[in-house]
């Protein structure tokens, strides 16, 4: 089990999970049914004679999910053969040992599995040996030759892209029952011949924390000692309203957790747990440069806090995911987590939901924090209160540096004292200037020092363990291995990410391990420049991946890598293939060459670390012009592909409503029936166009936009309604309109934000009301009505009287002041990306509004009497106000 956690991602699509010679041998050969993997303090004595309850066979692309299955089975007392525990340098010898020594074979079927020759050999061998086979399907569909072998067998379907912890537990309970079922065709131990391969060399012990097993047993279940439970129906309503980040973020946290090397960072975990248990500190701020392993620390900390019933909530920010780099998303997710912990808190938030249903759309960051976190916590009764910690990882990846929302969030976190003391905060970040300038004046930073002795000790432990496993492959004595390990740990200059990538390269099945190791040791490192250290690693990895490849392959790989970095939200390899207009096998073949630089799961493909994305976008760091990302060009390409996807895939009534019944429900499940690449295109085509830096659209894109405008505009709104994306049509399109020079296209598209604003309630309630209600009542002189009304005569109704001929002159109404508004000013940035309105009122406040959305961004309070006037500075950074309290005040709107 320890090996399952420490194992890094395998960089070869050819080797299945049951036969990967880049993995490590077991820490213990005696996988006791009562205490699997309870000790790592002794090496295997005779693993060839061991008998295992289960053998897991899988493809490397599904490794993280299969490890989760392995952990669950081990927690239920099964002895499990999996490559990360029991692999030797002989692939086929390990395959033979695994199948022969196991009672039940569990193939984890996926497209990658059926495309692997070794997986086919492994499962065919199991069938020939008449082993009992219990298949798990990780995806729907046909599995070619594997379907023949598993025909007629009971199988389990586990969709890791959309499964909750409780659902996973239920699946594991069912799987346990099936494994324990006696089978007439299952050979007994006495009749199963076990042919022993060559002896496995002893493996050095790996130090592990005594609490490690209990952490893993708590992995799948949110534990809490509290006797209080929140009403499930209230939680369900809050979940639907708040839409917290869940499955994808949890999968990312799981990936970080599995990168932990047992026994390392214990000094830091000790500091954090002391913080969680004392009454002195309320905030623990851990900062460090890119690559020191902050996210791994956060993930492990979350698991340990959960084990102890002290985890109040968590959020892992993600630079390349718009849903996880917005301050509001942090707050709503933490709000939902806290609601699970404290019933009084949940009731207070539910009352807010019922009284202010549009709160989430119109409130600013400060109001989010006050009304979704602080105020509900203050009314939690004493008998429910217990000390918990909320964790925010990678704060530096949230928002745009210097943006008002990011500054507001950092300022709110710096004022954590306003939060009741039973809820503490742990936050990790890079030492970004804006974070440091605000937090350093309030909190002591716990810095991860690259030169700290404990950090170097951890690196040495990691490199020594990994290189010892390669002793026989490298053909050098053990003392030489340990000398190499020390030099490699020193060369890392404190960066875990560097050492992990180097070890993956050295351990790769196709590597001459000793030669690659010596190449790394020969490279000059710069302890004073961490970026330079990582730049050398990334450059070398890309060079090795493309060595001997044709120019067309390299160019295509660079384009795919650029898209992975630039996309607004991570997408799967299947969605990426459809956006590129190529095959899934083509995408996988190219990405397999740089597998060590990517995190690949069933749900998404992402770069292994933000520092790699930074490297690819910097002309001073990425010296290979083939891989240097042209951001505007990549955005333009993605915008073009998004438009093409919509033009070929959108159609009327995509939700499958009964068009004769305005109260009907959709017959299709929008989360499953609409292709992923289409959902991505609907949401982000405008964003990509806006960041392509074009003053005039190329002819091909303008032609695609024209087709979209006059054929699919209402279909687009329909699907946005079904997927909760209406703000895209309301806000983003309004911002993009000034960039369109084609007057005919502009005339129709400018009607869409008004159309959605005017009829938002029926459209949001039911997508078919885009036609039934909205198009029916749309003013007849608008370009939108003239273009589309004639196509849907069977759906819309003719209105004889009471219908407007054109849109009202009033574009929007901003509400919030409690007294007369007597002064207003409006400011628009030069790039027209930002439009702000400031208002002065006799309620003694000044309010700042987003002119595009009508959202109140901030309230300025300080006047003791009525405020009569307000004006922006030319650059939009300051406002000046005059009041009846005889004062003139200058306000910095960014702070």
């Amino acid at each position: 089990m320890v090996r399952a956690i420490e194992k890094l991602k395998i960089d070869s699509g050819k080797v299945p999970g049951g036969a990967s010679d880049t993995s490590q041998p077991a820490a213990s050969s005696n996988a006791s049914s009562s205490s699997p993997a309870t000790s790592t303090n002794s090496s295997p004595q005779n693993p060839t004679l061991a008998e295992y309850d289960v053998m897991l066979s899988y493809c490397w692309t599904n490794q993280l999910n299969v490890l989760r299955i392995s952990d669950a089975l081990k927690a239920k007392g099964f002895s499990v053969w999996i490559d990360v525990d029991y692999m030797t340098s002989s692939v086929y010898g390990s395959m033979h040992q695994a199948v022969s020594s196991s009672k039940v074979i569990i193939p984890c079927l996926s497209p990658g599995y059926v495309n692997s020759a070794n997986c086919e050999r492994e499962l065919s061998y199991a069938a020939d040996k008449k082993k009992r086979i219990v298949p798990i399907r990780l995806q729907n569909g046909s599995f070619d030759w594997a379907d023949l072998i598993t025909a007629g067998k009971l199988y389990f379907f586990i969709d890791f892209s959309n499964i909750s912890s409780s659902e996973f537990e239920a699946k594991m309970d069912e799987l346990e029952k099936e494994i324990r079922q006696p089978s007439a065709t299952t050979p007994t131990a006495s009749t199963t011949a076990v042919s022993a391969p060559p002896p496995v060399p002893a493996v050095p012990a790996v130090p592990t924390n005594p609490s490690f097993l209990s952490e893993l047993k708590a992995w799948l279940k949110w534990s809490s000692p509290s006797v209080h439970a929140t009403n499930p129906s209230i939680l369900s309503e809050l979940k639907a309203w708040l839409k917290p980040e869940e499955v994808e973020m949890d999968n990312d946290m799981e990936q970080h957790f599995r990168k932990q090397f047992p026994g390392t960072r214990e000094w830091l975990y000790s500091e954090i747990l002391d913080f969680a248990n004392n009454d002195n500190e309320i905030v623990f701020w851990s900062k460090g440069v890119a690559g020191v392993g902050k996210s791994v620390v956060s993930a492990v900390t979350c698991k340990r806090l959960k084990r102890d019933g002290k985890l109040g909530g968590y959020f892992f920010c993600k630079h390349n995911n718009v849903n996880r780099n917005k301050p509001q998303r942090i707050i709503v997710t933490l709000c939902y987590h806290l609601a699970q912990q404290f019933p009084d808190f949940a009731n207070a938030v539910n009352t807010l939901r019922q009284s202010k249903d549009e709160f989430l759309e119109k409130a600013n960051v400060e109001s989010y924090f006050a009304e979704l976190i602080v105020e509900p916590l203050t009314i939690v009764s004493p008998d429910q209160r217990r000390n918990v910690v909320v964790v925010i990882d990678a704060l530096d990846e949230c928002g745009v540096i210097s943006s008002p929302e990011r500054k507001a969030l950092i300022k709110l976190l710096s004022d954590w004292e306003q939060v009741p003391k039973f809820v503490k905060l742990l936050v990790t970040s890079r030492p970004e200037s804006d974070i440091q300038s605000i937090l350093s004046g309030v909190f002591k930073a716990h810095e991860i020092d690259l030169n700290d002795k404990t950090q170097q000790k951890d690196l040495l432990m990691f490199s020594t363990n990994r290189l010892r496993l390669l002793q026989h492959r490298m053909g050098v004595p053990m003392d030489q291995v340990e000398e190499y390990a020390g030099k490699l740990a020193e060369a890392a200059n404190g960066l875990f990410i560097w050492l992990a990538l180097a070890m993956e390269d050295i351990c790769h099945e196709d590597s001459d391990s000793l030669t690659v190791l010596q190449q790394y040791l020969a490279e000059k490192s710069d302890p004073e420049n961490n970026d330079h250290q990582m730049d050398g690693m990334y450059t070398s990895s890309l060079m090795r991946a493309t060595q001997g490849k044709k120019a067309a392959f390299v160019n295509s790989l660079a384009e795919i890598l650029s898209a992975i970095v630039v996309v607004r939200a991570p997408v799967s390899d299947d969605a990426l293939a459809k956006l590129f207009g190529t095959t899934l096998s083509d995408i996988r073949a190219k990405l397999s060459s740089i597998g060590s630089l990517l995190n690949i799961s069933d749900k998404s493909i992402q770069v292994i670390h933000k520092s790699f994305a930074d490297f690819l976008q910097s002309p001073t760091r990425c010296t290979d012009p083939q891989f240097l990302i042209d951001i505007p060009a990549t955005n333009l390409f993605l915008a073009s592909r998004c438009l093409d996807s919509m033009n070929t895939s959108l159609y009327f009534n995509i939700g499958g409503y009964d068009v004769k019944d305005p109260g009907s429900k959709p017959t299709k499940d929008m989360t499953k029936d609409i292709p992923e690449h289409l959902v991505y295109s609907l949401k982000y085509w405008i964003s990509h166009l806006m960041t392509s830096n074009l003053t005039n659209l190329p002819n091909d894109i303008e032609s695609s936009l024209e087709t979209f405008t006059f054929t699919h505009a209402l279909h687009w709104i329909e699907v946005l309604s079904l997927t909760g994306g209406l703000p895209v049509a309301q806000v983003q399109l309004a911002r993009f309109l000034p960039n369109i020079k084609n007057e005919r296209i502009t005339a129709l598209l400018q009607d869409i934000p008004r159309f959605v604003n005017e009829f938002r309630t029926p459209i949001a309630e039911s997508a078919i009301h885009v036609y039934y209600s909205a198009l029916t009542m749309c003013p007849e002189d608008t370009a939108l009505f003239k273009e589309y009304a004639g196509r849907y005569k069977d759906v819309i109704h003719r209105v004889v009287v009471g219908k407007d001929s054109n849109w009202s002159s009033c574009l929007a109404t901003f509400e919030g002041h409690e007294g007369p508004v007597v002064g207003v000013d409006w400011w628009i940035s030069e790039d027209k990306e930002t439009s702000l309105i400031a208002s002065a009122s006799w309620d003694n406040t000044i309010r700042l509004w987003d002119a595009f959305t009508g959202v109140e961004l901030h309230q300025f309070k300080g006047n003791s009497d009525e405020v009569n006037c307000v004006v922006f500075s030319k650059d939009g950074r300051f406002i000046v106000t005059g009041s009846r309290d005889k004062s003139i005040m200058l306000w910095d709107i960014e702070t």
Side-chain angles (χ1 to χ4, degrees), residues 271-531:
E271 285 186 22
I272 293 173
L273 293 179
D274 285 345
F275 153 77
N277 292 318
N278 70 45
D279 295 326
N280 300 322
E281 290 182 277
I282 58 171
V283 174
F284 190 104
W285 172 30
S286 177
K287 71 173 183 177
V289 299
V292 296
K294 298 184 295 295
S295 292
V296 173
V297 169
S298 293
V300 174
T301 297
C302 283
K303 300 303 177 185
R304 295 191 179 191
L305 290 171
K306 182 190 294 186
R307 174 198 65 197
D308 297 337
K310 291 183 178 294
L311 182 62
Y314 55 92
F315 194 92
F316 283 64
C317 302
K318 197 76 173 178
H319 69 282
N320 63 339
N321 188 332
V322 294
N323 291 324
R324 286 170 53 196
N325 61 20
K326 291 182 179 179
Q328 291 90 336
R329 300 305 303 157
I330 295 179
I331 296 171
V332 297
T333 301
L334 294 181
C335 174
Y336 180 69
H337 289 168
L338 290 168
Q340 293 175 295
Q341 303 296 304
F342 305 107
D344 287 349
F345 180 97
N347 292 336
V349 177
N350 195 43
T351 299
L352 174 68
R353 178 189 67 83
Q354 293 170 338
S355 61
K356 298 182 179 180
D357 188 49
E358 296 185 352
F359 172 83
L360 297 180
E361 298 175 10
K362 296 186 176 180
N364 57 28
V365 176
E366 291 91 343
S367 296
Y368 263 60
F369 191 71
E371 299 192 50
L372 293 177
I373 302 292
V374 180
E375 293 174 11
L377 283 174
T378 60
I379 65 170
V380 174
S381 59
D383 64 319
Q384 290 185 16
R385 293 191 177 196
R386 56 188 172 81
N387 291 339
V388 296
V389 179
V390 296
V391 178
I392 300 176
D393 179 66
L395 180 62
D396 54 282
E397 297 190 29
C398 179
V400 179
I401 293 180
S402 298
S403 68
E405 289 183 337
R406 171 168 160 138
K407 283 190 173 182
L409 177 66
I410 299 171
K411 184 70 171 62
L412 289 167
L413 296 181
S414 73
D415 194 23
W416 194 260
E417 286 187 351
Q418 65 181 303
V419 176
K421 290 186 177 180
F422 67 93
V423 178
K424 297 187 172 193
L425 171 67
L426 186 153
V427 60
T428 71
S429 76
R430 292 192 195 184
E432 300 284 7
S433 58
D434 59 337
I435 297 176
Q436 293 216 118
S437 65
I438 297 176
L439 295 189
S440 60
V442 184
F443 307 123
K444 172 189 174 184
H446 298 258
E447 185 164 7
I448 302 178
D449 187 350
L450 299 183
N451 299 314
D452 186 88
K453 291 182 180 179
T454 51
Q455 179 84 349
Q456 291 299 322
K457 181 181 177 181
D458 288 346
L459 290 165
L460 179 60
M461 185 188 305
F462 176 71
S463 62
T464 300
N465 181 269
R466 291 305 173 97
L467 289 184
R468 280 178 176 179
L469 298 173
L470 298 175
Q471 179 195 0
H472 293 280
R473 188 197 292 189
M474 294 191 296
V476 297
M478 187 59 75
D479 59 348
Q480 184 68 57
V481 169
E482 294 183 354
E483 181 182 343
Y484 283 144
K487 291 180 178 179
L488 193 63
E490 184 178 349
N493 286 327
L495 298 174
F496 257 98
I497 182 71
W498 186 93
L499 186 58
L501 287 171
M503 289 307 311
E504 186 153 342
D505 200 9
I506 293 166
C507 294
H508 192 275
E509 61 174 344
D510 295 329
S511 290
D512 179 342
S513 296
L514 183 59
T515 300
V516 176
L517 169 61
Q518 291 171 340
Q519 289 173 350
Y520 276 112
L521 295 179
E523 293 178 1
K524 293 183 179 180
S525 60
D526 184 358
E528 303 301 321
N529 189 334
N530 305 121
D531 285 346

Side-chain angles (χ1 to χ4, degrees), residues 73-143:
L73 292 176
K74 288 177 180 179
K76 290 179 178 295
F78 291 109
S79 54
V80 179
W81 198 105
I82 186 169
D83 69 334
V84 294
D85 283 344
Y86 299 105
M87 179 58 65
T88 71
S89 59
S90 168
V91 173
Y92 298 116
S94 296
M95 186 186 299
H96 167 73
Q97 176 203 355
V99 173
S100 299
S101 305
S102 301
K103 298 175 183 177
V104 177
I105 311 300
I106 300 182
C108 300
L109 304 181
S110 67
Y113 191 94
V114 298
N115 288 329
S116 168
N118 275 350
C119 287
E120 183 173 2
R121 293 188 189 98
E122 193 164 72
L123 192 56
S124 298
Y125 183 58
D128 290 342
K129 298 288 287 185
K130 294 184 170 51
K131 289 289 180 176
R132 186 171 171 217
I133 298 173
V134 178
I136 292 177
R137 290 174 176 253
L138 301 179
Q139 295 180 32
N140 279 316
S142 172
F143 293 105

Side-chain angles (χ1 to χ4, degrees), residues 607-738:
V607 293
I608 192 169
H609 198 267
K610 185 176 183 294
S611 60
F612 185 38
D614 295 340
F615 164 78
L616 292 170
Q617 297 175 75
S618 171
T620 60
R621 296 175 60 187
C622 181
T623 55
D624 185 343
Q626 292 181 102
F627 286 99
L628 178 63
I629 297 177
D630 184 334
I631 299 295
T634 303
N635 273 296
L636 190 62
F637 168 78
L638 288 172
S640 174
R641 296 305 304 156
C642 287
L643 283 167
D644 289 347
S645 295
M646 292 190 295
N647 286 338
T648 56
S649 302
L650 288 174
Y651 57 89
F652 169 68
N653 194 20
I654 198 171
Y657 291 86
D658 179 353
V659 295
K660 296 181 180 180
D661 179 9
S664 68
K665 302 296 182 182
T667 59
K668 294 183 179 179
D669 184 346
M670 293 302 101
T671 61
K672 297 179 180 179
D673 295 337
I674 297 183
E676 180 190 353
H677 75 288
L678 178 58
V679 173
Y680 181 90
S681 300
L682 296 165
K683 292 183 176 179
Y684 301 118
W685 69 274
I686 299 174
S687 177
H688 284 304
L689 276 179
M690 290 179 68
T691 48
S692 62
N693 296 340
L694 288 178
T695 53
N696 291 298
L697 297 177
N699 291 337
D700 59 333
I701 290 186
E702 184 169 308
S703 176
S704 296
L705 182 59
E706 186 172 18
T707 300
F708 166 80
T709 301
F710 295 102
T711 306
H712 300 294
L714 292 186
H715 304 155
W716 176 55
I717 299 173
E718 181 187 342
V719 185
L720 288 178
S721 169
L722 290 165
T723 57
L726 287 175
V728 177
Q730 287 178 282
V731 181
Q732 290 191 24
L733 185 56
R735 291 179 175 175
F736 176 63
L737 283 172

Side-chain angles (χ1 to χ4, degrees), residues 147-165:
D147 283 336
L148 294 175
I149 296 177
T150 61
K153 301 183 185 298
L154 175 69
Y155 72 86
F156 295 84
F157 176 65
I158 304 178
D159 181 6
F160 279 98
S161 66
N162 188 29
I163 189 170
S164 66
S165 293

